[in-house]
Amino acid sequence: MSRKVTDLQPWECLMKRIVWKQLGDIRNKKILDFGSGIGVTANYLAEHNDVTAIEPDEDSIKIRWADHQYTQIVGSTEELREFDDETFDMIICHNVLEYAEDREDIVKEFARILKPNGKISIVKHNRAGRVMQMVVLLNDFEHAHSLLDGNDGMASKYGAIRYYEDADIEKWCPELAITKTLGMRTFLDMQQNQEIHKDVDWQDKMVEIEMRVSDMDGYKDIAFFHHLIIEKR
């Protein structure tokens, strides 16, 4: 049975819809999805592209979305080293680098296997947005102070969230340049009425306003996530 993005939890559904809109219409590209999870984005992109997905968690792969054909590899950074130079037109890496011990190596490998004029899409936590979440939504002032002090966070499923700054990507690999920074989930989590999250009309309106402010500086500063579009220099 074909699965739809609306089958996901509302917050995850909206996250996917927003990031896919920010990516735009992508066709006839050779794409790598690194840290593909259950394959929702890999499956979406595979409808019109040649997609390879890499994921270390075998349990996630067992339940992966595969309505469209793509290549699934079990593994992590070591698999990147198997690709030839300049193999991919685009690399997707969403909510992965915070949990990787060797993220500098990963980013350097991305640059190596990316074609000239290729793009990397990285979704990452934004520390300022996380602090706001702790204070406003969770009343966790201790965690908020810890984050402001520069300490790591914690995710129930993946362990320590090792925050990094957007500009660190360019420090780790000077070949790469961030060409656009977009905000994600600026407003979404502030609505604490969980029932309204399931309302399709509300979801559409939320995606619309999230997209409207995603490239406005003030709103990007407080967004829970940043979406970085990166190119080779």
Side-chain angles (χ1 to χ4, degrees), residues 174-187:
E175 278 187 84
L176 299 177
I178 299 169
T179 57
K180 187 175 282 291
T181 302
L182 299 169
M184 296 181 62
R185 283 170 71 173
T186 302
F187 304 123

Side-chain angles (χ1 to χ4, degrees), residues 80-231:
L80 296 175
R81 301 188 178 99
E82 299 299 316
F83 295 116
D84 292 336
D85 294 356
E86 300 180 359
T87 296
F88 295 99
D89 298 297
M90 172 170 273
I91 298 172
I92 304 292
C93 184
H94 293 171
N95 298 318
V96 171
L97 295 180
E98 287 90 342
Y99 309 104
E101 297 287 342
D102 55 348
R103 56 192 178 190
E104 292 186 43
D105 292 336
I106 292 170
V107 171
K108 289 174 182 174
E109 283 297 306
F110 284 172
R112 182 185 66 79
I113 64 178
L114 188 67
K115 291 180 182 179
N117 302 314
K119 294 183 179 180
I120 304 173
S121 164
I122 291 179
V123 173
K124 61 180 287 293
H125 287 82
N126 177 36
R127 188 186 292 269
R130 188 69 166 178
V131 169
M132 189 165 66
Q133 181 187 41
M134 288 299 129
V135 175
V136 176
L137 298 181
L138 302 178
N139 292 314
D140 191 342
F141 296 97
E142 183 178 353
H143 194 171
H145 281 295
S146 179
L147 291 173
L148 288 169
D149 289 337
N151 296 317
D152 293 340
M154 185 63 63
S156 57
K157 185 175 180 180
Y158 300 108
I161 304 172
R162 300 169 60 242
Y163 292 92
Y164 61 96
E165 300 304 317
D166 297 354
D168 286 342
I169 298 292
E170 295 175 347
K171 291 178 183 176
W172 297 336
C173 185
E175 278 187 84
L176 299 177
I178 299 169
T179 57
K180 187 175 282 291
T181 302
L182 299 169
M184 296 181 62
R185 283 170 71 173
T186 302
F187 304 123
L188 171 58
D189 298 270
M190 294 302 174
Q191 174 54 260
Q192 296 184 63
N193 178 355
Q194 296 300 311
E195 286 304 309
I196 204 171
H197 284 209
K198 302 172 186 176
D199 182 86
V200 175
D201 183 57
W202 180 88
Q203 291 179 7
D204 291 343
K205 290 176 179 177
M206 181 57 71
V207 170
E208 180 183 15
I209 199 162
E210 285 272 353
M211 288 297 297
R212 183 172 181 181
V213 303
S214 65
D215 202 17
M216 294 182 181
D217 287 340
Y219 297 96
K220 285 192 285 189
D221 292 342
I222 59 171
F224 287 12
F225 291 86
H226 279 173
H227 182 193
L228 310 181
I229 305 298
I230 299 160
E231 297 180 9

Side-chain angles (χ1 to χ4, degrees), residues 24-40:
D25 187 24
I26 302 168
R27 292 172 184 262
N28 304 314
K29 301 294 185 183
K30 190 170 178 60
I31 300 175
L32 173 68
D33 186 350
F34 184 76
S36 54
I38 62 170
V40 179

Side-chain angles (χ1 to χ4, degrees), residues 67-81:
D67 302 309
H68 306 292
Q69 185 175 356
Y70 60 93
T71 301
Q72 180 71 62
I73 297 172
V74 182
S76 188
T77 313
E78 67 279 0
E79 301 299 331
L80 296 175
R81 301 188 178 99

